[in-house]
């Protein structure tokens, strides 16, 4: 009887102890989940970075809105027709780049987004798993002339195309380099059994005719170097034959007359990268910043010319984009329109520049980038997510007392602004944007070998 009376009491006390422990643990977990963390450098950095991005977006939107009202119908043109041929073409280019990316790294599982910007909200993303670049590329290019015009990133995409065809056609495509690139006759494998085309003559002197391209189902591809897409109507203009120093960047621009090739092309791929900082900045002279208006607000103090403030670099990138880049692009588009390049038969594509990831070229990630991860905890952002790349870069800089690499910041802000602007401007001319998530690197050196 004694044990029968004691046992319920001990069980009751044990149960009460378990309940108390569970309650205390639940309370601690609840407080940990709901409590607001103490504001530190990381949260403050992301707040500042987000504020700067919001300011940049507002500046661009206001600029486009005011220019549209002033210019009236100056940008008026046919909207991009999303026909099946255009969609298939861009899908093939996307799959081509993804295939090259996977051949470089077995761990690179990247998708690409192709933008058909008929309006700001209409963005279509395609998964590389559904793209068959081996079969669709030549069918999309059959009988067509493809011309690529632009600077470094366009040339790299040109190398990716040659590398792809080299592997699948089993032949080498000679390229003498950016400034002396000749035409390339691609997609001949499907035509080797065609009686019309019995042997492959040397293509160094004379390119195949349109009739020959159609008969053989092949394609003619050529690259033209033009750092700023300078579109002067006179092929004999001195800018095309003598060293041409850009008035704003003070850096030599390599320009080639390309309007004639653009008129003949069935598919035209254009691209222009951001401005580089003036050469004097590499000696520590950033005096050009003192004459640039502030777009990010007056809350930052002016710094000596040898120690630029990162907000001053942002202001300089905004000025370079709005006051120099966009007017020059307007002149390029006007020249294309005057030369009849905006028509139903020709497909015009703009290849979007990719940002630079600090520390990526050295094979390692910047320590600050590892420390200040995005709130979602994700790793290095995709190059196609320009906002995430710039947000992280600005967050890192807002916690650093000294700006060690202002040139990368200057470059990345321009990449972000250019994309933001061009996706609003180019659709009015019927131009599609092609944005790649994979980081384009130079194709194998054997692509350019003779």
């Amino acid at each position: 009887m004694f044990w029968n009376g004691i046992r319920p009491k001990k069980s009751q006390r044990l149960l009460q102890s378990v309940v108390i422990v569970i309650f205390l643990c639940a309370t601690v977990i609840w407080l940990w989940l709901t409590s607001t963390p103490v504001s530190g450098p990381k949260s403050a950095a992301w707040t500042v970075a987000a504020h700067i991005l919001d300011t940049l977006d507002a500046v661009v939107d206001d600029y486009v809105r005011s220019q549209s009202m002033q210019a009236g119908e100056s940008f008026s043109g046919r909207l991009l027709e999303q026909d099946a041929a255009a969609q298939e073409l861009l899908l093939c280019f996307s799959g081509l780049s993804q295939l090259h990316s996977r051949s470089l790294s077995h761990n690179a599982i990247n998708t690409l987004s192709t933008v058909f910007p008929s309006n700001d909200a209409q963005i279509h993303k395609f998964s590389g798993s559904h793209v068959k670049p081996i079969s669709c590329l030549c069918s999309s290019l059959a009988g067509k002339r493809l011309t690529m015009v632009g600077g470094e990133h366009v040339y790299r995409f040109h190398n990716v195309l040659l590398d792809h065809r080299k592997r699948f056609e089993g032949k080498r495509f000679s390229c003498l380099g950016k400034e002396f690139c000749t035409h390339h006759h691609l997609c001949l494998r499907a035509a080797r059994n065609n009686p019309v085309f019995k042997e492959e003559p040397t293509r160094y002197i004379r390119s195949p005719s349109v009739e020959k391209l159609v008969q053989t189902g092949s394609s003619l591809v050529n690259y033209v170097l033009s750092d700023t897409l300078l579109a002067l109507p006179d092929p004999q203009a001195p800018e095309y034959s003598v060293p041409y120093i850009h008035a704003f960047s003070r850096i030599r621009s390599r320009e080639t007359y390309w309007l004639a090739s653009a008129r003949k092309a069935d598919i035209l791929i254009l691209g222009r990268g951001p401005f580089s900082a003036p050469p004097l900045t590499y000696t520590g002279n950033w005096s050009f910043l003192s004459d640039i208006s502030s777009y990010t607000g007056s809350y930052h103090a002016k710094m000596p010319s040898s120690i630029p403030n990162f907000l001053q670099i942002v202001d300089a990138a905004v000025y370079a984009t709005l006051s120099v880049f966009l007017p020059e692009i307007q002149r390029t588009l006007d020249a294309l329109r005057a030369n009849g390049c905006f028509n139903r038969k020709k497909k015009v594509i703009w290849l979007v520049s990719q940002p630079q990831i600090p520390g990526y070229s050295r094979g390692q990630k910047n320590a600050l980038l590892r420390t200040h991860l995005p709130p979602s905890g994700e790793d290095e952002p995709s190059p196609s997510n320009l906002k995430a790349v710039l947000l992280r870069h600005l967050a890192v800089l807002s916690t650093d007392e000294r700006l060690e690499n202002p040139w990368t910041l200057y470059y990345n802000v321009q990449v972000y602004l250019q994309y933001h602007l061009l996706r609003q401007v180019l659709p009015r001319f019927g131009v599609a944007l092609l944005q790649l998530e994979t980081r384009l690197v130079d194709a194998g050196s054997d692509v350019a070998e003779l």
Side-chain angles (χ1 to χ4, degrees), residues 399-419:
T399 63
D400 196 7
E401 295 180 358
R402 182 176 180 83
L403 183 57
E404 295 182 356
N405 192 346
W407 302 278
T408 298
L409 174 63
Y410 187 64
Y411 183 94
N412 284 347
V413 174
Q414 290 183 76
V415 170
Y416 177 77
L417 292 172
Q418 286 181 13
Y419 176 69

Side-chain angles (χ1 to χ4, degrees), residues 43 82 124 140 169 257 273 295 319 355 367 373 398 400 415 440:
S43 59
Q82 299 178 31
H124 301 272
S140 298
E169 293 186 36
Y257 179 73
Y295 297 89
Y319 177 83
L373 294 176
S398 63
D400 196 7
V415 170
L440 283 183

Side-chain angles (χ1 to χ4, degrees), residues 153-171:
H153 74 292
V154 178
Y155 180 70
R156 290 176 179 175
F157 188 71
H158 151 275
N159 280 355
V160 170
L161 176 60
L162 294 188
D163 186 58
H164 171 269
R165 295 316 309 161
K166 168 181 173 292
R167 285 184 284 125
F168 287 101
E169 293 186 36
K171 55 183 291 187

